[in-house]
Amino acid sequence: MKEKTRKQYEARAKIAKAMAHPSRLLLLDLLQNQELCVGDLTEKVGADQSTVSKHLSILKEVGLVESRKEGTLSYYTVSCGCLDGFFSCIETVLLQDLEGRQQSLS
């Protein structure tokens, strides 16, 4: 495998790994349509602030979210516009898998 290709797959894996947590997927879903502060996200995720901040840091490190400061508050938003398609793809896979499992039981 070419070095460039390997680095591309490693970069993709890093993003996939950052997304591979239910709370992070929820955060991305919440931030797709609106900017929210850590306090709001903490309430919606149902975790403590330090945990939510850690999740946001991981998502920010791979470029999925961006933040801005306003006084003492940090506001986050999704930094890419392609997550709707990604989430739609995942839902399609889940539905196809479910249908396949149901057919195998019939």
Side-chain angles (χ1 to χ4, degrees), residues 59-79:
L59 294 171
K60 188 175 179 181
E61 182 181 322
V62 298
L64 290 168
V65 299
E66 57 191 18
S67 66
R68 69 174 182 85
K69 294 283 267 182
E70 189 173 301
T72 59
L73 299 177
S74 292
Y75 288 87
Y76 288 83
T77 189
V78 169
S79 58

Side-chain angles (χ1 to χ4, degrees), residues 11-76:
R12 289 177 184 178
K14 188 173 181 179
I15 293 168
K17 185 177 177 183
M19 296 175 78
H21 191 285
S23 293
R24 290 186 211 131
L25 289 173
L26 174 57
L27 288 168
L28 289 170
D29 208 23
L30 292 168
L31 294 171
Q32 277 191 101
N33 301 314
Q34 61 183 330
E35 181 182 66
L36 293 168
C37 69
V38 175
D40 292 336
L41 291 166
T42 298
E43 182 180 316
K44 292 178 186 288
V45 172
D48 59 75
Q49 186 173 342
S50 64
T51 300
V52 171
S53 292
K54 178 66 176 171
H55 286 313
L56 289 166
S57 173
I58 290 167
L59 294 171
K60 188 175 179 181
E61 182 181 322
V62 298
L64 290 168
V65 299
E66 57 191 18
S67 66
R68 69 174 182 85
K69 294 283 267 182
E70 189 173 301
T72 59
L73 299 177
S74 292
Y75 288 87
Y76 288 83

Side-chain angles (χ1 to χ4, degrees), residues 88-104:
S88 292
C89 178
I90 289 175
E91 292 302 319
T92 299
V93 171
L94 289 171
L95 287 173
Q96 288 174 345
D97 182 60
L98 178 61
E99 289 170 2
R101 289 173 190 266
Q102 287 174 338
Q103 288 176 0
S104 69

